[in-house]
Amino acid sequence: MIVIGCDHGGYELKEEITAYLKEKNIEFKDFGIYSAEPADYPDIALRVCEAVVNGECEKAILICGTGIGMSIAANKVKGIRCALCGDVYSAKMTRLHNDSNVLALGGRVIGKGLCVEIIEAWLGTEFSGEERHINRIRKVMSIE
Ligand code: RB5
């Protein structure tokens, strides 16, 4: 189960992502927003990230105009490791090395085709589980 959320800058891409998830029968919850009316990305990031840390979902996707605001806000939430990705390699590596639990995307930066490839790589890659990466993640979490 994944949760998805966006602000107005990410609304259009969020609609394309939810259509893709439905087509692929990937279970998700849409935490909005539900129109392109202006909304504040920290509000949505917090709601979505709370669902991850509460265990309501395992992973989440956040979209704003650049993905930057969402990723900054998400990474303030204890337990969240949010990766802003604009390429497939990073999406794969952040799962393998960082065990990221939130993916941030820039709705005004990438198009649907690349976005779908990034999501497929991110959802389809497991954390490597290697000791050195576990240690580094532990160190990151100890900064919280
Ligand atoms: C909204 O205009 C825009 O600032 C927001 O979507 C995001 O890109 C912020 O980082």
Side-chain angles (χ1 to χ4, degrees), residues 107-118:
R108 294 172 181 158
V109 182
I110 57 169
K112 186 190 172 185
L114 176 57
C115 169
V116 162
E117 287 194 24
I118 289 171

Side-chain angles (χ1 to χ4, degrees), residues 23-112:
E23 191 187 300
K24 295 285 169 189
N25 288 317
I26 299 170
E27 230 190 317
F28 69 94
K29 282 185 194 168
D30 183 353
F31 279 21
I33 56 175
Y34 307 106
S35 76
E37 283 301 302
D40 297 335
Y41 61 82
D43 298 337
I44 294 102
L46 179 60
R47 231 176 294 142
V48 167
C49 290
E50 277 173 349
V52 176
V53 293
N54 293 343
E56 189 180 335
C57 66
E58 196 194 331
K59 292 192 185 88
I61 299 173
L62 288 169
I63 315 113
C64 63
T66 57
I68 297 170
M70 284 293 194
S71 62
I72 290 172
N75 280 312
K76 299 283 180 195
V77 180
K78 193 173 160 75
I80 294 298
R81 291 179 301 282
C82 175
L84 168 58
C85 294
D87 64 275
V88 176
Y89 176 76
S90 300
K92 188 177 171 187
M93 295 313 286
T94 188
R95 288 289 308 127
L96 281 172
H97 288 191
N98 316 124
D99 197 17
S100 53
N101 48 12
V102 178
L103 173 67
L105 299 166
R108 294 172 181 158
V109 182
I110 57 169
K112 186 190 172 185

